[in-house]
Amino acid sequence: AQSVTQLDSQVPVFEEAPVELRCNYSSSVSVYLFWYVQYPNQGLQLLLKYLSGSTLVKGINGFEAEFNKSQTSFHLRKPSVHISDTAEYFCAVSRSGANNLFFGTGTRLTVIP
Amino acid sequence: NAGVTQTPKFQVLKTGQSMTLQCAQDMNHNSMYWYRQDPGMGLRLIYYSASEGTTDKGEVPNGYNVSRLNKREFSLRLESAAPSQTSVYFCASTDRAGAWREQYFGPGTRLTVT
């Protein structure tokens, strides 16, 4: 079975500072990994995903994530955050052949002016 | 192109009452999903429909039923609501079945059961 751990429930960061949101997964088989973002009072939308190939994945809004198989991690990074990045971020995992995703518990990113 | 729409946006029920949450998508997607979101627990899959005419249980199906009415619509029914079903419910869709597909989410239904 797959599971996802998001190590930080809340991350405050000043505007224009870098940020890293951490995600670790557990699975004994090949996985697909995702980051979704949820802005206040909205549904989730996809930021980026790793299916195969290059371990550095670039997404929308300047975010990127690196797949590290040896550390079973898929951390999300942005070099300089904006106020508009304030949202909740969810890491999710699935495996080849499956139809469903398993989500982490979320990290609330708050960008401070 | 509205994407994924959900009705109602908010609902308050008394214990034991029933209701149906409606979801529709206008993207011609084949697969649809129902999730619940609870504080500190992320999203958990209740049911999904890989294609029209099929439905399957997810992680937390107890207390719920679903109907894939047609390709566009996927409803979630609570036959006898319980306080443990207080949650935010999200519907999502993908163009085809498969975990690698991008899921498109609706805005959610906030349900309170008293």
Side-chain angles (χ1 to χ4, degrees):
Chain A
Q2 296 85 47
S3 69
V4 178
T5 302
Q6 291 185 244
L7 297 165
D8 306 296
S9 59
Q10 297 189 58
V11 173
V13 63
F14 285 104
E15 193 174 12
E16 297 184 7
V19 70
E20 178 179 83
L21 306 183
R22 297 180 292 168
C23 172
N24 286 86
Y25 67 93
S26 65
S27 175
S28 58
V29 297
S30 295
V31 294
Y32 303 132
L33 293 156
F34 306 79
W35 277 98
Y36 279 82
V37 60
Q38 183 180 30
Y39 297 105
N41 299 313
Q42 294 185 28
L44 283 70
Q45 63 183 87
L46 182 67
L47 265 183
L48 50 79
K49 62 183 177 183
Y50 171 80
L51 303 182
S52 64
S54 172
T55 57
L56 184 63
V57 180
K58 294 191 184 299
I60 62 171
N61 300 339
F63 284 92
E64 64 180 32
E66 185 155 20
F67 171 58
N68 188 318
K69 188 173 182 178
S70 63
Q71 297 188 1
T72 60
S73 67
F74 190 56
H75 301 333
L76 181 70
R77 301 185 184 101
K78 185 169 183 178
S80 175
V81 295
H82 303 289
I83 297 290
S84 58
D85 293 323
T86 293
E88 188 138 22
Y89 292 79
F90 291 93
C91 184
V93 64
S94 190
R95 60 173 174 78
S96 176
N99 286 321
N100 52 320
L101 291 177
F102 291 89
F103 285 85
T105 52
T107 297
R108 184 171 298 277
L109 173 65
T110 301
V111 180
I112 305 162
Chain B
N1 191 340
V4 179
T5 56
Q6 293 182 237
T7 55
K9 285 187 168 46
F10 301 93
Q11 184 71 48
V12 178
L13 289 179
K14 290 184 169 29
T15 297
Q17 287 184 318
S18 63
M19 79 161 295
T20 300
L21 282 64
Q22 306 286 356
C23 174
Q25 51 87 14
D26 62 3
M27 296 175 284
N28 201 35
H29 282 177
N30 286 300
S31 302
M32 298 183 74
Y33 308 80
W34 276 106
Y35 292 91
R36 59 178 289 173
Q37 183 181 31
D38 301 297
M41 300 193 72
L43 277 76
R44 292 179 293 168
L45 184 66
I46 305 171
Y47 271 93
Y48 67 98
S49 170
S51 60
E52 189 179 353
T54 69
T55 59
D56 286 287
K57 295 179 180 179
E59 288 179 81
V60 289
N62 291 344
Y64 304 95
N65 286 301
V66 290
S67 295
R68 183 74 184 267
L69 304 168
N70 47 55
K71 191 172 184 179
R72 288 187 65 246
E73 298 171 289
F74 188 39
S75 62
L76 179 72
R77 182 158 179 85
L78 288 69
E79 290 291 351
S80 178
S84 60
Q85 295 177 305
T86 292
S87 189
V88 182
Y89 290 85
F90 288 101
C91 178
S93 69
T94 57
D95 55 352
R96 290 189 287 167
W100 65 93
R101 301 288 184 192
E102 177 178 356
Q103 295 200 8
Y104 293 81
F105 285 82
T109 294
R110 188 173 294 274
L111 175 67
T112 301
V113 183
T114 62

